[in-house]
């Protein structure tokens, strides 16, 4: 994306201003330009790769995959490939910042909606001309935040806090142009949608992403399938336990969208509008029957509080916002409050963290029930950032360990869905899986959000 700046005294190519100035600048592949208008005014534009707006800790988690695509070419006039709902469902656009994308979004709003558009920077008129719905102001008018789109600086991408009314320019642009980042095909020719999921995503995330993408693609008339060996799990292992579609024989480059990573789809405003549940039919019959038998043996007729506490993976990767996990100390008051109110006689605890397990056993003793599985402490993550990296190292010494860990983790999620109430330390895919399998029938449920103010 190009930022729009006041003219600076530095060496750079000079371009003539015009409606397609950004496309011309992108095609020349330089990072800085002077621009001269017909009436002699001057300004500069400076390029930053879109993914560089993502904080480093999130980029490391995604291991080189673009969270925000580069859009080195795009067509704002190809309206059939645009999702304008973000603009159509508000009444005003407040542009706190002036750059390539806020200009493009403003043009679309002025052309395709009745929105009022506001900028703080008077240079906006160079790009947008005179329009009775374009306003240059010193302060934005008071308004209902649900009726405005605010384009701001900072890492506001909507996905993490589910607020798509306050976005940075790249995220807002992506929510409108995301289909153009997928493919150059005529969308009418698309029949299949190949889904790729990063290798740092656990099995709960795979099922969540797969189900959500299947719902979205299905609304477009596209048949989804999982790219072979894209996850950290062997394909034959996933097919053994779950019903995930494989590549159809009829899928070709002429009729298939190849998605680099599912985050490019699920991080959009479009995706946020879909409610989805992971249907139990995604489980193989044998796997589901085995888990039902195990749940009956472990939980029986007890009154059980289910508690999911994520630890090591989220601590060492320094997750923030809704992905920051509550500690045992954060959760203890509510756990005790629920036990006193409802009389739970067992706590089924799901955690990958040995320190958390030891602390919960110290607090609740024989009330604690867990699945037998390999657990880790933060000290195990020397020179590593993710549980997937540690599993990979362990798998080199024991080829079956990842499968055992995965099956045990999923047993834990399934048993949580059989509890009477459920709480989780923060936003994770386990929250989605457990609630989907319970179909909203918990007596109580709560997700801690200690990372949000």
């Amino acid at each position: 994306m190009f930022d729009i700046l006041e003219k600076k005294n530095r060496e750079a190519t000079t371009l003539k201003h015009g409606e397609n100035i950004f496309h011309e600048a992108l095609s020349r592949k330089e990072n800085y330009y002077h621009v001269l208008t017909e009436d002699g005014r001057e300004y500069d534009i400076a390029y930053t790769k879109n993914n560089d707006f993502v904080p480093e800790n999130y980029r490391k988690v995604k291991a080189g995959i673009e969270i925000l695509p580069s859009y080195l070419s795009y067509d704002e006039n190809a309206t059939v490939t645009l999702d304008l709902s973000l603009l159509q469902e508000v009444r005003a656009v407040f542009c706190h910042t002036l750059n390539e994308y806020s200009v493009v979004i403003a043009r679309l709003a002025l052309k395709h909606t009745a929105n009022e558009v506001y900028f703080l920077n008077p240079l906006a008129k160079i790009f947008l001309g005179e329009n009775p719905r374009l306003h240059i102001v010193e302060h934005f008018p008071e308004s209902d935040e649900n009726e405005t789109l605010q384009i701001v600086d900072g890492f506001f991408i909507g996905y993490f806090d589910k607020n798509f009314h306050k976005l940075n320019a790249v995220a807002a642009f992506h929510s409108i142009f995301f289909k153009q980042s997928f493919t150059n095909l005529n969308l009418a020719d698309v029949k299949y949608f190949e889904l790729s999921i990063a290798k740092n995503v656990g099995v709960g995330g795979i099922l969540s992403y797969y189900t959500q993408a299947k719902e979205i693609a299905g609304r477009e008339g596209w048949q989804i399938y999982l790219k072979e060996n894209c996850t950290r799990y062997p394909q034959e292992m996933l097919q053994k336990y779950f019903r995930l579609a494989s590549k159809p024989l009829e899928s070709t480059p002429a009729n298939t969208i190849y998605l680099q990573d599912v985050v490019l789809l699920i991080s959009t405003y479009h995706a946020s509008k879909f409610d989805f549940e992971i249907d139990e039919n995604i489980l193989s019959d044998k796997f589901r029957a085995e888990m039902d038998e195990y749940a009956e043996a472990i939980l029986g007729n007890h009154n059980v509080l289910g508690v999911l506490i994520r630890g090591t993976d989220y601590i060492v990767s320094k997750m923030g916002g809704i992905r920051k996990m509550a500690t045992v100390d954060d959760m203890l008051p509510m756990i005790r409050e629920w036990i006193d109110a409802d009389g739970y006689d067992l706590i089924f605890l799901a955690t990958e963290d040995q320190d958390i397990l030891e602390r919960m056993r110290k607090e609740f003793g024989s009330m604690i029930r867990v699945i037998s599985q390999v657990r880790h402490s933060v000290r195990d993550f020397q020179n590593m950032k993710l549980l997937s990296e540690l599993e990979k190292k362990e798998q080199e010494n024991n080829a079956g360990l990842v499968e055992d860990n995965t099956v045990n983790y999923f047993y834990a999620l399934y048993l949580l869905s059989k509890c009477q109430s459920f709480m989780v330390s923060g936003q994770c895919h386990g929250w989605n899986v457990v609630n989907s399998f319970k179909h909203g029938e918990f007596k109580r449920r709560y997700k801690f959000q200690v990372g949000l103010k």
Side-chain angles (χ1 to χ4, degrees):
M1 179 187 73
F2 281 102
D3 276 315
I4 299 168
L5 312 169
E6 297 287 347
K7 173 72 180 299
K8 290 183 172 56
N9 186 20
R10 58 169 288 182
E11 185 175 341
T13 300
T14 298
L15 303 177
K16 290 184 178 180
H17 175 78
E19 186 174 342
N20 293 319
I21 181 63
F22 300 120
H23 295 293
E24 181 182 356
L26 287 169
S27 68
R28 287 173 173 263
K29 300 180 181 179
E30 297 177 33
N31 292 331
Y32 199 97
Y33 300 92
H34 300 308
V35 185
L36 180 64
T37 68
E38 284 188 359
D39 59 3
R41 286 180 290 179
E42 297 176 294
Y43 63 90
D44 290 356
I45 56 176
Y47 179 79
T48 301
K49 186 177 180 180
N50 290 343
N51 211 52
D52 289 347
F53 290 100
V54 179
E56 185 178 7
N57 60 319
Y58 287 102
R59 280 185 273 145
K60 285 183 177 179
V61 168
K62 295 309 292 182
I65 294 171
E66 288 189 338
I67 296 174
L68 296 171
S70 293
Y71 289 104
L72 296 178
S73 65
Y74 59 89
D75 186 354
E76 58 266 56
N77 296 312
T79 53
V80 69
T81 65
L82 304 181
D83 181 6
L84 296 173
S85 59
L86 183 61
L87 297 175
Q88 292 167 340
E89 294 170 14
V90 298
R91 300 178 63 181
V93 180
F94 292 174
C95 297
H96 296 247
T97 183
L98 179 65
N99 52 51
E100 173 190 1
Y101 291 168
S102 63
V103 166
V104 172
I105 292 167
R107 282 177 181 162
L108 292 173
L110 292 171
K111 183 177 180 178
H112 298 288
T113 76
N115 289 340
E116 302 293 320
V117 176
Y118 297 84
F119 277 87
L120 300 176
N121 192 326
L123 283 175
K125 283 199 172 183
I126 294 177
F127 301 89
L128 300 169
E130 296 293 334
N131 188 301
R133 291 187 287 116
L134 173 64
H135 312 280
I136 306 300
V137 297
E138 292 185 1
H139 305 285
F140 295 115
E142 291 187 7
S143 65
D144 183 338
E145 64 179 16
N146 293 319
E147 294 185 347
T148 62
L149 168 62
Q150 299 203 44
I151 300 177
V152 300
D153 289 321
F155 188 56
F156 296 92
I157 67 170
Y159 173 66
F160 292 111
D161 59 4
K162 304 306 177 188
N163 180 6
F164 284 85
H165 291 274
K166 182 179 181 181
L167 299 172
N168 69 30
V170 183
F173 185 92
H174 178 59
S175 272
I176 296 170
F177 284 82
F178 68 93
K179 291 180 183 178
Q180 292 189 16
S181 75
F182 297 165
T183 184
N184 292 322
L185 293 176
N186 183 333
L187 295 182
D189 296 330
V190 174
K191 295 181 179 179
Y192 303 103
F193 190 96
E194 181 183 85
L195 182 66
S196 185
I197 299 175
K199 293 186 182 297
N200 67 304
V201 177
V203 65
I206 291 172
L207 298 188
S208 292
Y209 287 153
Y210 181 89
T211 302
Q212 190 174 9
K214 182 178 180 181
E215 174 72 17
I216 296 168
R219 299 288 182 95
E220 302 285 345
W222 305 333
Q223 180 180 331
I224 197 172
Y225 67 90
L226 187 64
K227 181 180 179 180
E228 187 172 359
N229 294 321
C230 67
T231 75
R232 74 177 188 245
Y233 306 103
Q235 195 79 2
E236 59 272 18
M237 189 201 89
L238 290 177
Q239 297 296 345
K240 178 179 177 182
Y241 297 104
F242 310 108
R243 293 190 174 102
L244 303 174
S246 299
K247 182 178 180 178
L249 294 176
E250 298 81 7
S251 173
T252 70
N255 62 18
T256 303
I257 289 174
Y258 300 97
L259 188 63
Q260 181 193 21
D261 187 84
V262 66
V263 72
L264 299 177
L265 175 63
I266 56 90
S267 62
T268 63
Y269 175 63
H270 180 76
S272 75
K273 296 184 291 183
F274 288 85
D275 293 325
F276 72 98
E277 283 193 346
I278 303 170
D279 195 308
E280 293 95 321
N281 289 328
I282 204 168
L283 308 172
S284 71
D285 291 340
K286 183 174 183 293
F287 189 36
R288 184 175 177 182
E290 290 172 349
M291 289 193 294
D292 280 333
E293 183 178 354
Y294 190 82
E296 178 61 29
I298 296 297
L299 306 181
N301 294 320
H302 289 281
N303 188 17
V304 188
L305 169 60
V307 180
L308 171 57
I309 310 180
R310 301 304 306 270
T312 50
D313 215 21
Y314 289 78
I315 296 170
V316 298
S317 58
K318 298 180 180 178
M319 289 286 192
I322 63 170
R323 296 281 181 170
K324 183 178 180 180
M325 294 293 139
T327 64
V328 173
D329 285 338
D330 293 325
M331 300 176 71
L332 280 176
M334 183 173 289
I335 293 173
R336 292 196 173 104
E337 178 185 334
W338 287 15
I339 290 172
D340 290 343
D342 300 335
Y344 300 109
D345 60 325
L346 284 182
I347 297 173
F348 180 75
L349 173 66
T351 185
E352 83 284 13
D353 192 302
Q354 183 63 31
D355 298 332
I356 289 172
L357 173 57
E358 291 173 2
R359 178 69 194 285
M360 287 289 285
R361 278 180 168 161
K362 181 180 178 181
E363 295 290 336
F364 298 102
S366 60
M367 284 185 68
I368 298 293
R369 294 287 188 275
V370 295
I371 297 288
S372 177
Q373 67 181 84
V374 175
R375 291 183 173 85
H376 301 283
S377 297
V378 171
R379 59 183 173 271
D380 297 330
F381 285 79
Q382 295 181 1
N383 302 317
M384 297 182 187
K385 291 294 183 184
L386 297 172
L387 187 59
S388 55
E389 296 177 43
L390 189 57
E391 284 184 345
K392 182 179 180 181
K393 181 178 179 181
E394 292 171 337
Q395 190 179 25
E396 294 172 357
N397 301 319
N398 184 346
L401 185 60
V402 170
E403 180 170 354
D404 289 343
N405 288 347
T406 302
V407 171
N408 288 338
Y409 170 69
F410 209 83
Y411 262 73
L413 296 184
Y414 195 75
L415 263 67
L416 286 170
S417 74
K418 300 299 181 182
C419 297
Q420 279 66 51
S421 293
F422 173 50
M423 69 173 67
V424 65
S425 54
Q427 177 57 42
C428 61
H429 293 294
W431 170 259
N432 300 332
V433 173
V434 173
N435 278 289
S436 290
F437 286 169
K438 191 68 171 181
H439 303 292
E441 296 176 0
F442 285 114
K443 180 175 183 178
R444 303 175 190 261
R445 62 175 184 166
Y446 186 80
K447 176 173 65 178
F448 284 82
Q449 300 185 82
V450 297
L452 296 183
K453 295 181 181 179

